[in-house]
Amino acid sequence: MKSRKSGLKIITIMLFVSLHATFLHASPKKIRLIKKYQGNFITTVKGTNLSQPPYISVIRSKDGVTYLFNKFRKIRNITTHNKALRLERQLLRNDFSSRMVIAILSHPTDNYKIDKVKILEHESKEKIEVKAFYFHSNREYSIPPFKSIHYGFYVVKQSDLPVILSSESIKKKIKKSSKKPFKTIYGTLQNWENQGKQLALINKSKRKKRVYYIKGSLQEDLKQYVGKFMALRGEVIKDSESIYEADFMIKKIIKIY
């Protein structure tokens, strides 16, 4: 009887150890990042987009790097072109016999961020899972911005396991600023464009001329003061194409000189 109980006890212990080992084996193992590169490539296309999940590209050779970056060379923006060329050269320095690159990329969009990326190896399921969170905010613009391709390139150890992406959208709380985004701009009011259809405040400082196109309900009140130097307060909405032009949503006429 005693030997039977001892046998049952041993079997119970063996089953517990076996189940515990199976559980540990099934747990995903975090893959160490050797290097990471994050940023964005500005395109030459303007507009805004709805939120879309990013997509993944796995690069296991130098040819794979060249193939992917051919896509970015087609963007006719000199800053983007130079940035992509530098990044391509950095990735080509990797020894692809022991390393590979996992790329997470967004579609061309605006106000987008890829965040909190984890790369896990599931030994039991024979796969690598990339978990990524992304944030996108919808904004209204009088002048739409240029879209960007947001990226994250992650250098890890080489593996022939399939790689899948699991992405999730997150919402960030936007802190309300205690300061109003209004500015006081000084300049001379002028008629702008053909037949004086557009009022503009011309600001000249340090040999630079900036044009602020008047917007808002106070336009009619200002028409009688064309040619006058004045101070106006409102919201400045910069033009993404030119640092010398902006829309100026007037909230208050401060002073007319």
Side-chain angles (χ1 to χ4, degrees):
M1 180 69 71
K2 189 175 181 180
S3 61
R4 184 179 294 178
K5 285 183 178 179
S6 298
L8 287 171
K9 189 175 181 181
I10 292 169
I11 292 170
T12 303
I13 293 169
M14 288 177 66
L15 284 171
F16 175 78
V17 171
S18 177
L19 287 170
H20 186 64
T22 303
F23 175 76
L24 288 175
H25 182 72
S27 299
K29 182 175 70 175
K30 191 174 180 179
I31 294 177
R32 184 178 69 89
L33 295 180
I34 300 169
K35 286 182 182 178
K36 67 177 180 179
Y37 307 90
Q38 293 174 311
N40 65 291
F41 297 130
I42 300 174
T43 71
T44 54
V45 180
K46 279 190 172 186
T48 57
N49 283 86
L50 297 175
S51 179
Q52 293 185 73
Y55 63 95
I56 195 169
S57 178
V58 182
I59 306 168
R60 291 188 168 93
S61 67
K62 291 188 177 183
D63 288 341
V65 174
T66 304
Y67 178 80
L68 179 62
F69 275 77
N70 279 337
K71 170 183 175 180
F72 305 129
R73 289 194 193 95
K74 295 176 182 178
I75 300 173
R76 301 301 179 189
N77 179 303
I78 190 166
T79 302
T80 294
H81 187 274
N82 292 338
K83 187 177 180 180
L85 184 62
R86 285 195 301 271
L87 182 54
E88 182 183 9
R89 287 172 177 170
Q90 287 176 310
L91 293 175
L92 285 171
R93 292 193 191 107
N94 285 292
D95 180 3
F96 283 92
S97 64
S98 60
R99 297 179 179 183
M100 68 180 186
V101 178
I102 296 175
I104 304 176
L105 303 157
S106 78
H107 299 279
T109 186
D110 63 308
N111 304 317
Y112 196 96
K113 186 178 181 182
I114 298 169
D115 200 9
K116 298 179 182 178
V117 175
K118 290 183 180 179
I119 303 175
L120 306 169
E121 183 176 344
H122 293 259
E123 294 180 1
S124 60
K125 296 181 181 179
E126 297 185 343
K127 70 176 181 180
I128 292 173
E129 181 185 14
V130 180
K131 289 186 175 181
F133 295 89
Y134 65 96
F135 168 76
H136 179 262
S137 65
N138 293 314
R139 297 182 188 176
E140 292 183 1
Y141 296 93
S142 58
I143 302 173
F146 287 106
K147 299 179 186 180
S148 292
I149 297 171
H150 300 261
Y151 65 78
F153 288 91
Y154 305 93
V155 181
V156 296
K157 66 177 183 179
Q158 181 66 267
S159 173
D160 58 357
L161 292 177
V163 183
I164 63 166
L165 175 63
S166 174
S167 62
E168 184 180 338
S169 176
I170 58 174
K171 293 181 179 180
K172 291 188 177 181
K173 291 183 179 179
I174 301 171
K175 294 181 179 179
K176 292 183 179 179
S177 176
S178 57
K179 296 181 180 179
K180 291 184 178 180
F182 297 152
K183 291 183 178 181
T184 300
I185 305 294
Y186 295 83
T188 303
L189 189 68
Q190 292 184 12
N191 284 319
W192 205 256
E193 296 180 354
N194 294 331
Q195 301 174 359
K197 290 181 180 179
Q198 175 69 60
L199 285 178
L201 191 68
I202 313 301
N203 175 276
K204 293 181 180 180
S205 60
K206 296 180 181 179
R207 299 180 182 178
K208 291 181 181 179
K209 182 172 77 172
R210 288 179 171 81
V211 180
Y212 296 91
Y213 300 107
I214 304 299
K215 304 290 182 182
S217 59
L218 292 177
Q219 287 185 79
E220 289 298 321
D221 296 339
L222 287 169
K223 283 182 179 179
Q224 58 183 312
Y225 300 111
V226 171
K228 297 282 188 179
F229 187 81
M230 62 185 64
L232 302 176
R233 188 164 180 78
E235 183 183 359
V236 176
I237 305 167
K238 293 181 180 178
D239 188 334
S240 57
E241 285 189 332
S242 173
I243 61 172
Y244 303 112
E245 296 181 357
D247 284 347
F248 193 16
M249 190 67 69
I250 304 301
K251 299 297 180 183
K252 187 178 181 181
I253 300 170
I254 301 297
K255 189 174 181 180
I256 298 173
Y257 298 87

